[in-house]
Amino acid sequence: MNDAIVITQRDTVFMKDVDAQSSQKVSACYQCGNCTAGCPASFVYDMQANQIMRGVQLGLKEAVLNCRSLWMCLSCSTCSLRCPNSIDVAAVMETLRHMARRQNRITVPNVEKFWHSFLDTVRVCGRTYEIGVMALYILRSLRVFTDLDLAPEVLKKNKLPFMPHVVQNGGAAAIGRIMRRYKERAEREGVRP
Amino acid sequence: MKTTVAYYPGCSAHGFSVDYEKSTQAVCGALGIRLNDIPDWNCCGSTPAHAVDTELSAALCVRNLDNAVKADANELLTPCPSCLSNLRHAAKRMEDPRFRARVDELLDNPAPAVFPEVISVMQGIARRFDANALAERVKKPLKPLRLATYYGCLMSRPAEIMDFGDPENPTLMESMLTACGAEVVDFPLKTVCCGASFGIPERAVTARLSGRILALAADMRADALVVACPLCQMNLDLRQKQAEHAADAIFAMPVLYFTQAMGLALGVPPGRLGIEKLRVNANGLIDKIEAAASGSTAPVEGSRP
Ligand code: SF4
Ligand code: SF4
């Protein structure tokens, strides 16, 4: 963010879009840095929370929507709580992540692969199921050794059932329908489901 | 108005937090609070659903709220802060008619106009039993234990949705454990994030954040961390070795659910609290409580006069 800003890359309606979708007023940010100071994920961010806020104000849409931080945010809301201007920074982060996803900008693919693996088990069973999530995630990410060190402990404690709990009385099918309608609507609206 | 309670266990209750579920059932049973599951409840969508789309997350939650309404419930208890957060966010967002219309499009039938109030099991117990009423029911005081409470980031934030007291300094768990006789330390990291659901895709983040919490609890000479969240418990207990590795330290810190600690105080046998499911062995804590309860004069480490 210390680099000179290329004026032609500024998107003048970006902040308005972000404000509308997050119900926040990003222009109120005066760069005190409180959000960044309290952010537990700051050590893995490529753009800090306050820099993202400034980026939105300046219309640096490309830089903001492509940053890794949107995917690494833990949604802990510490930033929102500590903002002296009562900006819900976590809601802005979530809105930006939704915007990036809808435009197929997936800067940290493994995080999204994990989410999809989780949601796939919900779509089929109506509930999630840890071994299923792990298996799908390993297939998607090709990270075969993810958490292999935990396996002996988990098995010894008999903590993870191998069989999914499927919601009865048509419940699983009802969830399948919710997920299908969501996907069809996203496709109709031309956004990434 | 008569309060009819429904219970939303959350998916992890049948998976890696069976111990939370067992101890929640045991404690509520001992206190006479009946927990009837919402019929055919489904996953609330957890972090992945709201990270992907707010309306999808709300639709998954609203189906549960709808089923609770059909079961005539006006109070919904859930042990899991992540489920609590999602259910409360959904109910709040449904107040916006445009949002409601978009969510209704995803559902089999339109959402009911009024939802039951969703609160945590912890609040549900506190509403029925204040500190004095709890203290009266304690059979084996946790007196010899020095405990650090850890709420995680979801239980108390955002404050306007969660309504759980001070968003950075909630104190409900402290008052309950104090009523159970424990010495509770003032733990400054009690609402600082443990790394949440990043344990799988970005485990270095979780190992570092959890490591900081465990290290401080050890520095403050806590006998155990007491938590209310299945994900926090997994990060701090099951993944404790990963955190130790990242921090190049040994913590050996037992991480109990608050229902396990309360259950011990109420005299519930440890076997019914799932204590054996903890990765970091907590038998030393039980021994201390038993020794104190049987009036043993053997010196108990960490006990205060
Ligand atoms: S919500 Fe995200 S940006 Fe805000 S403090 Fe937490 S991790 Fe950082
Ligand atoms: S805390 Fe609020 S005002 Fe301060 S930098 Fe962050 S968003 Fe801006």
Side-chain angles (χ1 to χ4, degrees):
Chain A
M1 288 298 284
N2 294 329
D3 299 346
I5 295 159
V6 182
I7 300 294
T8 49
Q9 284 180 357
R10 294 179 57 172
D11 181 322
T12 46
V13 292
F14 186 43
M15 184 166 73
K16 274 201 197 110
D17 289 348
V18 175
D19 279 0
Q21 288 183 40
S22 64
S23 314
Q24 301 302 311
K25 207 166 154 240
V26 175
S27 60
C29 168
Y30 54 35
Q31 288 295 299
C32 68
N34 266 4
C35 48
T36 296
C39 175
S42 62
F43 72 102
V44 286
Y45 277 12
D46 53 352
M47 223 175 152
Q48 296 301 331
N50 69 303
Q51 294 178 318
I52 291 172
M53 298 300 282
R54 192 75 179 122
V56 173
Q57 289 176 338
L58 292 173
L60 304 180
K61 187 172 171 179
E62 289 297 312
V64 167
L65 292 187
N66 289 330
C67 76
R68 278 175 62 82
S69 314
L70 302 182
W71 300 85
M72 304 304 289
C73 166
L74 298 153
S75 306
C76 73
S77 296
T78 308
C79 46
S80 311
L81 177 68
R82 297 187 185 171
C83 174
N85 294 312
S86 306
I87 303 171
D88 188 345
V89 186
V92 173
M93 294 290 283
E94 181 140 296
T95 297
L96 292 169
R97 182 173 56 243
H98 291 161
M99 282 181 159
R101 265 196 85 260
R102 280 192 226 115
Q103 300 173 16
N104 282 313
R105 300 175 196 247
I106 317 293
T107 310
V108 187
N110 278 341
V111 170
E112 201 208 27
K113 282 174 186 159
F114 172 68
W115 295 339
H116 280 301
S117 303
F118 183 99
L119 293 173
D120 280 351
T121 60
V122 179
R123 178 168 49 83
V124 175
C125 307
R127 291 181 194 163
T128 187
Y129 149 58
E130 292 95 353
I131 290 198
V133 176
M134 283 302 278
L136 289 170
Y137 176 70
I138 288 167
L139 282 175
R140 280 203 168 98
S141 63
L142 300 176
R143 282 198 181 178
V144 182
F145 296 108
T146 295
D147 281 337
L148 215 58
D149 55 329
L150 297 181
E153 294 290 348
V154 170
L155 295 178
K156 195 169 74 199
K157 299 287 179 185
N158 190 20
K159 272 202 147 184
L160 295 188
F162 281 93
M163 294 303 292
H165 285 263
V166 179
V167 187
Q168 297 301 302
N169 301 319
I175 299 306
R177 287 195 293 278
I178 291 176
M179 304 284 256
R180 198 195 61 230
R181 289 184 201 114
Y182 163 71
K183 189 157 182 273
E184 287 171 358
R185 186 169 76 184
E187 279 161 5
R188 248 191 345 265
E189 294 173 352
V191 297
R192 183 182 176 93
Chain B
M1 188 176 61
K2 190 175 164 297
T3 308
T4 309
V5 180
Y7 178 61
Y8 181 77
C11 299
S12 55
H14 294 304
F16 61 76
S17 72
V18 274
D19 32 5
Y20 196 13
E21 174 65 9
K22 255 180 122 171
S23 54
T24 298
Q25 294 286 352
V27 165
C28 289
L31 294 173
I33 302 173
R34 280 174 63 117
L35 300 176
N36 298 318
D37 282 13
I38 298 178
D40 305 319
W41 58 271
N42 58 272
C43 175
C44 72
S46 192
T47 303
H50 76 73
V52 165
D53 188 271
T54 319
E55 290 156 0
L56 173 64
S57 167
L60 294 172
C61 289
V62 166
R63 182 181 173 274
N64 290 311
L65 297 174
D66 192 11
N67 284 5
V69 170
K70 285 177 183 143
D72 289 326
N74 49 16
E75 186 179 283
L76 179 55
L77 299 184
T78 181
C80 171
S82 174
C83 302
L84 179 70
S85 170
N86 278 325
L87 293 165
R88 288 184 69 97
H89 268 100
K92 177 81 191 155
R93 288 184 172 129
M94 291 295 277
E95 289 170 11
D96 171 1
R98 274 182 31 226
F99 186 87
R100 180 178 271 266
R102 296 270 298 172
V103 172
D104 277 349
E105 272 178 33
L106 302 177
L107 296 167
D108 280 351
N109 48 281
V114 183
F115 300 122
E117 185 190 14
V118 191
I119 57 173
S120 66
V121 168
M122 197 190 292
Q123 291 162 302
I125 295 174
R127 271 189 192 177
R128 292 162 176 83
F129 297 88
D130 64 11
N132 290 335
L134 267 185
E136 278 168 22
R137 285 166 175 79
V138 169
K139 298 208 174 72
K140 295 185 177 166
L142 305 182
K143 218 179 191 92
L145 301 187
R146 189 173 153 88
L147 302 174
T149 50
Y150 178 71
Y151 294 81
C153 40
L154 291 174
M155 194 76 126
S156 58
R157 285 196 298 268
E160 57 282 11
I161 302 272
M162 302 309 281
D163 196 15
F164 199 85
D166 187 319
E168 289 204 90
N169 188 21
T171 51
L172 184 57
M173 204 176 351
E174 282 88 328
S175 55
M176 294 171 103
L177 293 173
T178 307
C180 291
E183 179 193 355
V184 184
V185 304
D186 188 4
F187 192 57
L189 294 182
K190 62 170 118 169
T191 65
V192 175
C193 186
C194 68
S197 59
F198 280 60
I200 293 174
E202 295 287 341
R203 67 192 262 182
V205 175
T206 299
R208 173 155 162 181
L209 295 176
S210 296
R212 210 158 52 180
I213 294 159
L214 290 160
L216 184 65
D219 276 354
M220 294 179 79
R221 293 180 294 108
D223 293 312
L225 267 165
V226 185
V227 301
C229 170
L231 197 57
C232 300
Q233 205 279 343
M234 179 165 75
N235 286 339
L236 295 167
D237 181 48
L238 187 61
R239 293 181 183 279
Q240 192 168 125
K241 273 211 179 105
Q242 295 176 351
E244 287 179 336
H245 200 74
D248 197 15
I250 302 288
F251 303 127
M253 176 66 62
V255 185
L256 269 66
Y257 288 107
F258 80 96
T259 41
Q260 292 178 313
M262 277 183 75
L264 291 173
L266 296 174
V268 179
R272 286 185 48 217
L273 298 168
I275 305 270
E276 77 290 351
K277 298 270 183 192
L278 302 173
R279 194 195 66 76
V280 178
N281 192 307
N283 291 342
L285 309 180
I286 299 174
D287 293 345
K288 280 189 187 180
I289 299 167
E290 292 293 341
S294 62
S296 149
T297 48
V300 179
E301 193 202 337
S303 64
R304 297 283 176 284

Short mmCIF file of all heavy atoms in Angstrom, two decimals, chain B residues 212-237:
data_model
loop_
_atom_site.label_atom_id
_atom_site.label_comp_id
_atom_site.label_asym_id
_atom_site.label_seq_id
_atom_site.Cartn_x
_atom_site.Cartn_y
_atom_site.Cartn_z
N ARG B 212 -0.88 -19.65 21.95
CA ARG B 212 -0.80 -18.47 22.80
C ARG B 212 -1.75 -18.60 24.00
O ARG B 212 -1.41 -18.24 25.13
CB ARG B 212 -1.19 -17.26 21.96
CG ARG B 212 -0.52 -16.00 22.37
CD ARG B 212 -0.50 -14.99 21.27
NE ARG B 212 -1.82 -14.77 20.70
CZ ARG B 212 -2.04 -13.92 19.69
NH1 ARG B 212 -1.05 -13.26 19.16
NH2 ARG B 212 -3.25 -13.75 19.21
N ILE B 213 -2.92 -19.13 23.74
CA ILE B 213 -3.92 -19.29 24.81
C ILE B 213 -3.43 -20.32 25.84
O ILE B 213 -3.49 -20.11 27.05
CB ILE B 213 -5.27 -19.71 24.20
CG1 ILE B 213 -5.82 -18.57 23.34
CG2 ILE B 213 -6.27 -20.13 25.27
CD1 ILE B 213 -6.85 -19.01 22.31
N LEU B 214 -2.93 -21.46 25.33
CA LEU B 214 -2.45 -22.52 26.21
C LEU B 214 -1.25 -22.04 27.03
O LEU B 214 -1.15 -22.33 28.23
CB LEU B 214 -2.07 -23.75 25.39
CG LEU B 214 -3.25 -24.49 24.76
CD1 LEU B 214 -2.80 -25.37 23.60
CD2 LEU B 214 -3.97 -25.33 25.82
N ALA B 215 -0.36 -21.29 26.39
CA ALA B 215 0.85 -20.83 27.09
C ALA B 215 0.47 -19.90 28.24
O ALA B 215 1.02 -20.00 29.34
CB ALA B 215 1.78 -20.12 26.11
N LEU B 216 -0.48 -19.02 28.00
CA LEU B 216 -0.87 -18.08 29.06
C LEU B 216 -1.54 -18.83 30.22
O LEU B 216 -1.27 -18.56 31.39
CB LEU B 216 -1.78 -16.98 28.54
CG LEU B 216 -2.14 -15.93 29.60
CD1 LEU B 216 -0.89 -15.15 30.03
CD2 LEU B 216 -3.20 -14.97 29.11
N ALA B 217 -2.40 -19.80 29.88
CA ALA B 217 -3.06 -20.57 30.94
C ALA B 217 -2.02 -21.29 31.78
O ALA B 217 -2.12 -21.34 33.01
CB ALA B 217 -4.05 -21.57 30.33
N ALA B 218 -0.99 -21.82 31.12
CA ALA B 218 0.08 -22.51 31.85
C ALA B 218 0.85 -21.51 32.72
O ALA B 218 1.13 -21.78 33.89
CB ALA B 218 1.02 -23.22 30.87
N ASP B 219 1.16 -20.34 32.15
CA ASP B 219 1.88 -19.31 32.91
C ASP B 219 1.10 -18.88 34.15
O ASP B 219 1.67 -18.56 35.18
CB ASP B 219 2.08 -18.05 32.05
CG ASP B 219 3.30 -18.18 31.16
OD1 ASP B 219 4.03 -19.18 31.32
OD2 ASP B 219 3.51 -17.29 30.31
N MET B 220 -0.22 -18.85 34.03
CA MET B 220 -1.05 -18.41 35.15
C MET B 220 -1.33 -19.56 36.12
O MET B 220 -2.15 -19.44 37.01
CB MET B 220 -2.37 -17.80 34.64
CG MET B 220 -2.14 -16.51 33.86
SD MET B 220 -3.68 -15.79 33.22
CE MET B 220 -4.32 -14.99 34.69
N ARG B 221 -0.67 -20.66 35.91
CA ARG B 221 -0.75 -21.85 36.77
C ARG B 221 -2.18 -22.36 36.90
O ARG B 221 -2.62 -22.77 37.99
CB ARG B 221 -0.14 -21.57 38.16
CG ARG B 221 1.38 -21.33 38.11
CD ARG B 221 1.96 -21.06 39.47
NE ARG B 221 1.46 -19.80 40.01
CZ ARG B 221 0.59 -19.71 41.02
NH1 ARG B 221 0.13 -20.79 41.61
NH2 ARG B 221 0.18 -18.53 41.43
N ALA B 222 -2.91 -22.34 35.79
CA ALA B 222 -4.25 -22.91 35.80
C ALA B 222 -4.13 -24.43 35.77
O ALA B 222 -3.22 -24.97 35.14
CB ALA B 222 -5.04 -22.41 34.61
N ASP B 223 -5.02 -25.12 36.48
CA ASP B 223 -5.05 -26.59 36.42
C ASP B 223 -5.71 -27.06 35.14
O ASP B 223 -5.47 -28.17 34.68
CB ASP B 223 -5.83 -27.16 37.60
CG ASP B 223 -5.12 -26.90 38.92
OD1 ASP B 223 -3.90 -27.17 38.98
OD2 ASP B 223 -5.77 -26.42 39.87
N ALA B 224 -6.59 -26.22 34.59
CA ALA B 224 -7.29 -26.60 33.35
C ALA B 224 -7.89 -25.35 32.72
O ALA B 224 -8.12 -24.35 33.39
CB ALA B 224 -8.41 -27.60 33.66
N LEU B 225 -8.09 -25.44 31.41
CA LEU B 225 -8.89 -24.44 30.70
C LEU B 225 -10.31 -24.98 30.65
O LEU B 225 -10.51 -26.18 30.43
CB LEU B 225 -8.38 -24.29 29.27
CG LEU B 225 -7.34 -23.20 28.97
CD1 LEU B 225 -6.72 -23.48 27.61
CD2 LEU B 225 -7.96 -21.82 29.01
N VAL B 226 -11.29 -24.10 30.82
CA VAL B 226 -12.69 -24.53 30.74
C VAL B 226 -13.33 -23.79 29.58
O VAL B 226 -13.23 -22.56 29.49
CB VAL B 226 -13.44 -24.26 32.05
CG1 VAL B 226 -14.85 -24.82 31.98
CG2 VAL B 226 -12.69 -24.87 33.22
N VAL B 227 -13.95 -24.54 28.67
CA VAL B 227 -14.45 -23.95 27.42
C VAL B 227 -15.93 -24.28 27.22
O VAL B 227 -16.51 -25.12 27.91
CB VAL B 227 -13.64 -24.47 26.20
CG1 VAL B 227 -12.16 -24.15 26.34
CG2 VAL B 227 -13.84 -25.97 26.01
N ALA B 228 -16.52 -23.61 26.21
CA ALA B 228 -17.95 -23.83 25.92
C ALA B 228 -18.17 -24.15 24.45
O ALA B 228 -19.30 -24.24 24.00
CB ALA B 228 -18.75 -22.59 26.30
N CYS B 229 -17.08 -24.31 23.68
CA CYS B 229 -17.23 -24.44 22.23
C CYS B 229 -16.52 -25.69 21.71
O CYS B 229 -15.34 -25.89 21.99
CB CYS B 229 -16.66 -23.20 21.56
SG CYS B 229 -16.52 -23.32 19.78
N PRO B 230 -17.22 -26.54 20.93
CA PRO B 230 -16.60 -27.76 20.42
C PRO B 230 -15.36 -27.49 19.56
O PRO B 230 -14.39 -28.23 19.62
CB PRO B 230 -17.71 -28.39 19.55
CG PRO B 230 -18.98 -27.80 20.03
CD PRO B 230 -18.64 -26.43 20.55
N LEU B 231 -15.41 -26.42 18.78
CA LEU B 231 -14.28 -26.14 17.90
C LEU B 231 -13.08 -25.66 18.71
O LEU B 231 -11.94 -26.07 18.47
CB LEU B 231 -14.69 -25.10 16.85
CG LEU B 231 -13.81 -24.99 15.63
CD1 LEU B 231 -13.68 -26.32 14.90
CD2 LEU B 231 -14.39 -23.94 14.68
N CYS B 232 -13.32 -24.78 19.68
CA CYS B 232 -12.23 -24.32 20.57
C CYS B 232 -11.65 -25.53 21.29
O CYS B 232 -10.43 -25.66 21.42
CB CYS B 232 -12.75 -23.36 21.63
SG CYS B 232 -13.52 -21.86 21.01
N GLN B 233 -12.53 -26.41 21.78
CA GLN B 233 -12.06 -27.56 22.54
C GLN B 233 -11.16 -28.43 21.68
O GLN B 233 -10.10 -28.87 22.10
CB GLN B 233 -13.24 -28.36 23.08
CG GLN B 233 -12.94 -29.17 24.34
CD GLN B 233 -12.25 -30.50 24.04
OE1 GLN B 233 -12.28 -30.96 22.91
NE2 GLN B 233 -11.63 -31.09 25.05
N MET B 234 -11.57 -28.63 20.42
CA MET B 234 -10.76 -29.46 19.52
C MET B 234 -9.41 -28.80 19.26
O MET B 234 -8.37 -29.46 19.29
CB MET B 234 -11.50 -29.69 18.21
CG MET B 234 -10.69 -30.52 17.25
SD MET B 234 -11.64 -31.18 15.90
CE MET B 234 -11.85 -29.74 14.91
N ASN B 235 -9.42 -27.49 19.01
CA ASN B 235 -8.16 -26.80 18.74
C ASN B 235 -7.23 -26.84 19.94
O ASN B 235 -6.03 -27.01 19.80
CB ASN B 235 -8.42 -25.34 18.34
CG ASN B 235 -8.98 -25.24 16.93
OD1 ASN B 235 -8.82 -26.15 16.12
ND2 ASN B 235 -9.63 -24.12 16.63
N LEU B 236 -7.79 -26.68 21.13
CA LEU B 236 -6.95 -26.57 22.32
C LEU B 236 -6.56 -27.93 22.88
O LEU B 236 -5.50 -28.07 23.49
CB LEU B 236 -7.67 -25.76 23.40
CG LEU B 236 -7.93 -24.29 23.03
CD1 LEU B 236 -8.92 -23.65 24.00
CD2 LEU B 236 -6.63 -23.49 23.02
N ASP B 237 -7.40 -28.95 22.69
CA ASP B 237 -7.14 -30.26 23.29
C ASP B 237 -6.58 -31.24 22.25
O ASP B 237 -5.42 -31.62 22.29
CB ASP B 237 -8.42 -30.80 23.92
CG ASP B 237 -8.24 -32.15 24.58
OD1 ASP B 237 -7.28 -32.31 25.35
OD2 ASP B 237 -9.06 -33.05 24.33
#
